[in-house]
Amino acid sequence: MTLNTARFKPTARLLACVALGWGCAQAFAQAPSASAPTQAASTQQQTLPEAAPLRRWSPRLKDLGLGGAMRLRGVESWSGVGLGIRRDELVESARLRLTFTLSPALLADLSHLKVLLNDQLVQAIVLPKERLGQPQTVDLDIPPAYFTDYNQLSFQFVGHYTLDCEDPGHSSLWAEISHESTLDLALRPLQGRSDLALLPSPFFDPRDGRIVEVPFVYAAQPSLGQLKAAGSVASWLGMLAAYRGNRFPVYENQLPARHAVVVATNERRPDFLRDMPPVEQPTLSLVPHPDVPGAQLLLVLGKDDQQVQTAASALALGKAALSGQTISVTDLKLPAPRKAYDAPLWLSTQRPVQLGELVERPGDLQLRGTVVNSSISVNARMAPDLFTWNASGVPLNLLYRYTPTTLSDRGSLSVSINDQFVKAYPLQASGGGEGRKSTLLLPLSSDGSEQVQSDLRIPAFLVGGSNRLEFAFDIPPADLGRCRSTQPVVLRAALDPQSSIDLTGFDHYMAMPNLAAFANSGFPFTKFADLSQTSIVLPNQPTPADIQAYLVAVGRMAASTGYAGTRFALLHASQIEQAKDTDILFVSQGDRDGVLAGWRTSLPALVEAGKRSVQPLERGMNAFFELFRMGEDSVPKASDGHITLTGDGPLAALVGLQSPLQAGRSIVALTASDAASMGLIGQSLNNPAKVRLLQGDLGLLRGEAIESFRVRPVYYVGDLAWYKRLWFHLHSHPVWLALLGIAAGLVLTLLVYAALRAMARRRLEGGHA
């Protein structure tokens, strides 16, 4: 069958490509312009796609992972940052605006700073004596040919302060590079082919460190099945995005001018797909954007809601053998349900976890240089509900190696977690042993009690699930004596990949609601990584703002667990009773269906358009009025134990509560007064600085301001032995503890008294006999 795609409008050509399984990229490239007077005049248009505009990207060094100023010390030292270039973009031009300072004690003729990209010299910077010690800014053009997919921008410092008897580790040998230095890139999009084998590109590229933004397109008034399919795809993309964060704009019946995911069934599909032949099986198809050169559309299709969910699950769980432009899913066997706390990114509590499992490459656990004065970082996620009360700490079995020198006994290995110092180990000089094995306990924070009284407490262990271990080596170079020198020795330090963190023996028990656990780790929903114990409830008529907040939330949960959650139940507000035996994520702009109003007695706050109702707080109400700048016409009214405020200011809220449907189950509500404020929720969940501010059971968001409160009493979730639970709860009630002690003493006294009376009675009876 032959079809002349030149007669179709762009959208019609897209439909033809999907229907016939053509190589659409080729069809679009060869389609002549309808306005061309002759075929010969349009020959170039047939073979070359329309040039896409350049994209400008100007990351600072701190955007590329440099936490602070880069400090280079010694006669010769180097460091660098990584930079990824998307596979669908080409560097057209690059310029580095470098801000740096060199030590004023350097010899200008013998000292310089080298800038390299992928070991290719860009420029050696030499300063005259009068400019040393002062901040300098230079612009360096970098040849585009030097760039690859993964790039290393390196800085090598060579410094000398005297012509003879030089100490290679002298304090005057230093250079400092500002983390505000900027790399200006001009990137040209490339025309990619429509091949499912290339997924997740172009929607996600591991080389791109920016937030992952993928629009979702569907028909007006999408069905729950389509929204569930969109959630499964968003969970997959969120898992891939990881630390980058995610943003999923929603479009009804229109195509954005960029890559996008289109979710449709035969009955409900966007207008631009109306003429496409119906599909009979779950289908995935990757086609070119009809209006934007280089952009791609991922079509997730099905005959009905069940089929479109099957197609989305096949994509999210990697069960489809993706290749070609279009595939049909004829059979899908879902994996077994996940067990509690078995998220791939969470440290297991069933066995010790080796540090080698927490890094991408063994080289990430090693350091080298003529002077070793830097650190090894290891990220460790764990379940946020670990019961650490009254525990001495988490055992860290640490194995490390280093190059000994005659002065290395002046060095040390310092261990810290989340920027909190834990312990320092002295190193040994040459001949004193090259390896050490030590066991230490990482300190834990308590739940606010005085059980742990130590400067080594790590509060993030309890309030979050994401931790950063730092192992800082400080190894001074060998001292060869005055006027004695040789080629600098490259020093090495490494952590053994078999070093391990041991969480075995820890129970799971936690006070709820806890918005910190939700914002950091998606808890309690992520207790099961596939979200099999989760119900997500949307309004009966969800708005694009509701859907976008829902997609961002499931994406962030997958980023926490490293697993695409597809087993959650998606319900309308009218179906809320079906969520009785699950944890509930409720997403609604306002309370249009009255669900939250029905839970008023359990809610710390209720936010609606033009009105918000907050339970009286023991503290912070004055700050609340000031923070959200309520007008003079906002009259507080007492109503059912709440303070009701009227006003039209924008406000968003994250609310935690125990489920009124079933005790022990949790509800997290994402709600706002308007659509713009709903967007604040997604922005906050993707911002680590704002995530740290969310705590308690109520978080109020307005612009950049966030306030957290503890309004309602807590309840507890988890499994804990009865005697541990009794002792834990009694410790915060000293009166009851004292009464229990008195009662126990009385019981013991009575028992002893009864025993002594019985002994005396037997003696008397024996004497009479």
Side-chain angles (χ1 to χ4, degrees):
M1 181 177 180
T2 304
L3 183 62
N4 185 359
T5 61
R7 296 182 181 179
F8 294 134
K9 294 180 181 180
T11 299
R13 294 207 305 271
L14 181 150
L15 300 178
C17 292
V18 176
L20 300 179
W22 286 7
C24 285
Q26 185 177 8
F28 273 92
Q30 294 179 350
S33 171
S35 61
T38 63
Q39 184 175 355
S42 62
T43 301
Q44 187 172 3
Q45 294 182 11
Q46 296 174 5
T47 57
L48 294 177
E50 179 184 349
L54 294 178
R55 180 175 73 88
R56 296 285 178 177
W57 183 35
S58 301
R60 298 164 296 181
L61 293 188
K62 69 178 182 180
D63 298 327
L64 300 178
L66 188 61
M70 181 185 296
R71 295 178 175 86
L72 305 174
R73 303 181 184 277
V75 172
E76 182 179 5
S77 59
W78 58 89
S79 187
V81 295
L83 170 68
I85 301 297
R86 291 178 59 94
R87 67 181 299 166
D88 57 358
E89 291 182 328
L90 182 68
V91 178
E92 287 277 322
S93 63
R95 171 170 290 187
L96 174 65
R97 168 152 288 199
L98 181 65
T99 301
F100 67 99
T101 306
L102 299 183
S103 169
L106 297 177
L107 297 178
D109 294 339
L110 300 179
S111 305
H112 58 272
L113 180 66
K114 295 167 66 176
V115 180
L116 305 96
L117 182 69
N118 299 328
D119 296 328
Q120 298 287 329
L121 179 64
V122 175
Q123 189 168 326
I125 303 173
V126 180
L127 296 181
K129 182 67 177 178
E130 60 271 14
R131 294 172 61 185
L132 295 176
Q134 304 175 11
Q136 305 293 322
T137 299
V138 297
D139 291 330
L140 307 177
D141 290 323
I142 303 177
Y146 287 4
F147 285 88
T148 62
D149 291 344
Y150 293 98
N151 306 277
Q152 184 73 15
L153 180 62
S154 304
F155 304 92
Q156 183 178 3
F157 169 63
V158 177
H160 299 280
Y161 67 95
T162 184
L163 294 176
D164 56 3
C165 299
E166 186 173 61
D167 177 6
H170 197 275
S171 60
S172 65
L173 297 173
W174 60 265
E176 184 173 290
I177 298 172
S178 171
H179 63 312
E180 295 289 343
S181 301
T182 304
L183 182 63
D184 295 314
L185 297 172
L187 303 166
R188 181 174 299 282
L190 299 176
Q191 182 76 45
R193 72 181 191 275
S194 299
D195 190 344
L196 292 168
L198 299 179
L199 288 177
S201 177
F203 307 97
F204 167 77
D205 194 317
R207 306 162 185 80
D208 191 347
R210 298 173 299 163
I211 188 171
V212 174
E213 182 171 348
V214 179
F216 279 76
V217 183
Y218 50 81
Q221 297 181 347
S223 65
L224 274 182
Q226 289 176 292
L227 295 179
K228 171 70 184 299
S232 297
V233 177
S235 184
W236 171 63
L237 291 170
M239 174 193 67
L240 297 172
Y243 66 89
R244 300 169 181 84
N246 62 72
R247 186 182 300 123
F248 301 121
V250 170
Y251 292 80
E252 291 185 349
N253 260 336
Q254 58 178 322
L255 278 176
R258 55 178 304 165
H259 306 301
V261 176
V262 182
V263 181
T265 62
N266 290 344
E267 294 295 325
R268 295 174 182 261
R269 56 178 57 178
D271 291 341
F272 57 84
L273 291 180
R274 283 294 178 186
D275 297 330
M276 186 183 73
V279 298
E280 297 300 324
Q281 293 179 322
T283 301
L284 297 170
S285 186
L286 189 65
V287 299
H289 196 295
D291 304 318
V292 181
Q296 301 281 337
L297 301 178
L298 175 60
L299 307 184
V300 183
L301 309 172
K303 181 173 64 175
D304 51 29
D305 285 354
Q306 185 62 42
Q307 285 197 2
V308 78
Q309 291 181 51
T310 299
S313 296
L315 174 67
L317 299 175
K319 296 299 181 181
L322 301 179
S323 64
Q325 183 182 335
T326 302
I327 65 164
S328 296
V329 182
T330 57
D331 184 36
L332 176 64
K333 293 182 179 179
L334 295 176
R338 304 286 299 198
K339 298 179 180 179
Y341 305 109
D342 72 344
L345 291 184
W346 291 7
L347 270 63
S348 173
T349 57
Q350 305 301 313
R351 61 175 179 83
V353 177
Q354 296 182 355
L355 296 188
E357 303 176 48
L358 305 179
V359 297
E360 294 183 3
R361 299 172 298 273
D364 295 338
L365 298 177
Q366 301 179 15
L367 298 172
R368 62 186 296 269
T370 55
V371 177
V372 175
N373 187 18
S374 54
S375 62
I376 297 170
S377 298
V378 178
N379 293 319
R381 281 188 172 273
M382 57 189 66
D385 65 340
L386 287 178
F387 185 69
T388 57
W389 177 79
N390 213 26
S392 56
V394 175
L396 171 61
N397 193 325
L398 185 62
L399 300 166
Y400 57 94
R401 302 185 300 274
Y402 57 93
T403 304
T405 69
T406 56
L407 295 180
S408 57
D409 56 348
R410 302 179 184 177
S412 64
L413 166 61
S414 299
V415 182
S416 61
I417 185 166
N418 300 331
D419 296 325
Q420 300 293 321
F421 174 75
V422 177
K423 191 172 183 178
Y425 293 105
L427 304 182
Q428 296 183 0
S430 301
E434 303 178 7
R436 294 285 301 276
K437 176 179 179 179
S438 299
T439 300
L440 67 108
L441 296 177
L442 296 182
L444 300 163
S445 72
S446 68
D447 59 352
S449 69
E450 298 298 324
Q451 291 295 319
V452 180
Q453 299 181 2
S454 171
D455 294 334
L456 304 181
R457 292 190 302 168
I458 310 298
F461 259 37
L462 186 61
V463 300
S466 180
N467 307 282
R468 186 179 184 87
L469 286 162
E470 295 277 350
F471 303 89
F473 281 93
D474 182 10
I475 307 177
D479 184 4
L480 300 178
R482 179 174 176 79
C483 297
R484 296 177 60 190
S485 63
T486 184
Q487 183 71 19
V489 176
V490 176
L491 304 177
R492 297 178 181 272
L495 300 179
D496 195 303
Q498 294 184 0
S499 300
S500 62
I501 302 175
D502 190 356
L503 296 179
T504 58
F506 283 90
D507 298 301
H508 295 274
Y509 195 67
M510 187 180 195
M512 296 289 284
N514 191 325
L515 291 180
F518 170 74
N520 282 280
S521 305
F523 191 84
F525 312 107
T526 50
K527 176 180 177 179
F528 294 86
D530 56 5
L531 306 184
S532 58
Q533 295 292 309
T534 295
S535 293
I536 301 177
V537 180
L538 298 177
N540 293 328
Q541 298 293 329
T543 66
D546 296 326
I547 298 171
Q548 183 171 332
Y550 144 63
L551 296 178
V552 169
V554 295
R556 293 304 301 159
M557 292 179 198
S560 169
T561 61
Y563 189 84
T566 62
R567 290 183 178 269
F568 60 90
L570 186 64
L571 305 171
H572 281 314
S574 59
Q575 303 169 306
I576 189 69
E577 289 296 328
Q578 298 180 25
K580 180 177 181 180
D581 193 27
T582 61
D583 295 309
I584 299 173
L585 177 65
F586 184 83
V587 183
S588 177
Q589 176 188 326
D591 187 29
R592 301 189 299 277
D593 302 302
V595 173
L596 295 178
W599 298 337
R600 181 183 294 272
T601 57
S602 302
L603 280 174
L606 177 60
V607 175
E608 301 177 84
K611 183 173 66 175
R612 61 262 1 228
S613 177
V614 184
Q615 283 205 354
L617 307 177
E618 295 181 2
R619 61 175 182 82
M621 280 309 301
N622 292 332
F624 177 85
F625 280 102
E626 181 180 353
L627 176 66
F628 299 107
R629 297 195 293 275
M630 298 299 177
E632 295 180 357
D633 59 339
S634 300
V635 182
K637 306 173 184 177
S639 174
D640 298 330
H642 285 64
I643 294 179
T644 301
L645 308 169
T646 59
D648 57 1
L651 180 66
L654 284 80
V655 181
L657 67 151
Q658 183 171 205
S659 175
L661 305 178
Q662 182 167 320
R665 288 292 188 175
S666 301
I667 296 177
V668 174
L670 311 180
T671 184
S673 59
D674 52 52
S677 297
M678 283 295 287
L680 293 176
I681 296 175
Q683 295 174 21
S684 299
L685 293 178
N686 283 302
N687 187 328
K690 292 184 178 181
V691 164
R692 286 193 289 268
L693 299 177
L694 290 170
Q695 299 178 20
D697 60 356
L698 175 62
L700 298 173
L701 294 75
R702 180 184 180 277
E704 296 299 317
I706 295 180
E707 280 286 332
S708 295
F709 302 92
R710 168 69 68 188
V711 181
R712 301 284 300 173
V714 301
Y715 62 97
Y716 289 85
V717 298
D719 297 316
L720 199 62
W722 68 267
Y723 58 90
K724 291 183 180 179
R725 184 176 308 200
L726 177 64
W727 184 243
F728 169 68
H729 288 286
L730 282 176
H731 93 278
S732 57
H733 299 282
V735 174
W736 283 106
L737 188 60
L739 292 176
L740 182 63
I742 293 172
L746 290 174
V747 171
L748 182 60
T749 301
L750 291 175
L751 291 175
V752 172
Y753 176 74
L756 292 176
R757 289 277 302 208
M759 293 174 60
R761 187 181 302 113
R762 285 195 296 270
R763 285 200 303 269
L764 291 174
E765 292 175 354
H768 290 302

